Amino acid sequence: MSRRMRSYFYAVLGAIGGLIGWQVSDRLGLSFITNLYLSEVLVGALVGLVIGLFIGLTEGLLTQNPVQVLKSGLFCALLGVIAGGIGLPLGEFLFQAVGAGILGRALGWAVFGLLIGLAEGIVGKTQVWKGMLGGFLGGALGGILLESAHNWLADPLAGKAAGLVLLGASVGAFISLISVLLARAWLEVTSGKLKGTEFILDKFMRAGGPAVAIGSSPLKSEIVLPDPDIAPQHAMLTGDGTQFSIKDMSLAGTYINGKKIQTTHLSNGQKIKMGNTEMIYHEKR
């Protein structure tokens, strides 16, 4: 899946999360709670749980990595609970106490999006600040759309449903979009089962940062390529702050532009072949 199509799927999964979040919060009701802000904490936590879960699932689903699905989904759901529990009552407080109007609630949802983006940045392959920036922008826009849907639609339930769908879609889309637009390095798979998929490498570029393993095992590699001719941990990428080096760790070999290598620096546009899978390394300076 291309980097641009990633944004589409992040938006779709976020929207589904918003729709299910609306259903969950609506069915539970929480009418037994008289304190407005406590009610907002609980409703926000429920909505955040579901939206965070679905946004967290997206990267793993797109790359067919079950370990990533489980890890990202659970972590983003957990932080989503915190995000919703903070963001919704904060927006309500700004709306009620300070008189900030729709922008106050939008700011509350921006904080919500920021925390969802933080979770995605921690467990994903982009830099944390990019996830947070995307989530903040998506939450702010989504908050405005949510409140507008409340005001435009006569049916309060329909307004809430439409608003949460738009909120989830906006947060998901912006988290992915900012990561794509500001990406410095990525791998594009040009053959094999994941043809068209692109793996953003920014998180691993800094000097002294974590190396990233490429292989066929989701338990041993961060970038997983479902190819029986690729070793469970086939090669290792290491960043030095400005570029990546790649080290072969397999018996079958790793090939750069048709030549077998042991260790070499990567340059923009080089072709990497492992097993029956080919990739192109892209880099922006």
Side-chain angles (χ1 to χ4, degrees):
M1 197 64 56
S2 71
R3 292 175 303 136
R4 289 170 178 80
M5 285 300 292
R6 284 174 77 254
S7 299
Y8 167 76
F9 280 99
Y10 266 87
V12 170
L13 268 292
I16 293 172
L19 182 61
I20 296 176
W22 162 68
Q23 279 287 304
V24 170
S25 63
D26 184 58
R27 289 184 183 278
L28 290 179
L30 302 173
S31 58
F32 59 89
I33 298 174
T34 57
N35 185 285
L36 172 64
Y37 292 111
L38 180 56
S39 176
E40 296 288 85
V41 167
L42 294 176
V43 171
L46 288 171
V47 172
L49 169 70
V50 183
I51 292 179
L53 172 65
F54 274 81
I55 290 177
L57 294 175
T58 309
E59 183 73 20
L61 292 174
L62 292 179
T63 57
Q64 300 179 29
N65 185 340
V67 173
Q68 180 79 16
V69 168
L70 182 62
K71 181 174 69 173
S72 300
L74 292 178
F75 189 77
C76 287
L78 176 61
L79 209 50
V81 171
I82 300 172
I86 293 174
L88 186 55
L90 173 62
E92 187 64 34
F93 173 77
L94 293 172
F95 183 82
Q96 297 280 354
V98 184
I102 190 172
L103 293 180
R105 282 185 170 151
L107 180 59
W109 286 115
V111 172
F112 165 82
L114 182 145
L115 292 175
I116 297 290
L118 169 65
E120 180 63 22
I122 290 173
V123 295
K125 294 181 178 64
T126 189
Q127 291 165 298
V128 171
W129 70 268
K130 293 176 184 176
M132 294 174 68
L133 175 61
F136 183 85
L137 295 175
L141 176 60
I144 293 172
L145 294 174
L146 188 156
E147 294 304 323
S148 299
H150 268 295
N151 296 332
W152 292 339
L153 297 177
D155 184 350
L157 288 179
K160 182 179 179 182
L164 287 176
V165 166
L166 291 170
L167 173 71
S170 181
V171 171
F174 271 84
I175 286 174
S176 177
L177 188 61
I178 293 298
S179 299
V180 167
L181 292 176
L182 300 182
R184 294 179 59 194
W186 63 95
L187 290 174
E188 176 192 1
V189 182
T190 55
S191 70
K193 291 184 179 180
L194 292 183
K195 182 179 180 179
T197 300
E198 296 182 357
F199 296 93
I200 296 174
L201 303 173
D202 293 17
K203 187 174 183 177
F204 308 101
M205 181 172 275
R206 67 182 177 86
V212 54
I214 305 173
S216 58
S217 171
L219 296 176
K220 295 184 177 181
S221 300
E222 287 77 28
I223 294 178
V224 180
L225 302 172
D227 183 335
D229 293 320
I230 291 179
Q233 196 174 73
H234 197 101
M236 192 73 68
L237 287 173
T238 305
D240 64 5
T242 58
Q243 62 180 344
F244 280 99
S245 61
I246 184 169
K247 179 182 179 181
D248 178 56
M249 301 177 65
S250 70
L251 296 176
T254 298
Y255 296 83
I256 305 294
N257 290 344
K259 295 181 179 180
K260 190 175 182 179
I261 60 96
Q262 287 299 317
T263 301
T264 189
H265 289 293
L266 287 174
S267 299
N268 184 47
Q270 285 186 322
K271 296 180 180 179
I272 305 169
K273 187 173 188 297
M274 301 176 188
N276 296 309
T277 301
E278 293 185 346
M279 297 172 283
I280 296 177
Y281 172 73
H282 297 277
E283 184 179 277
K284 286 194 302 187
R285 292 187 179 275

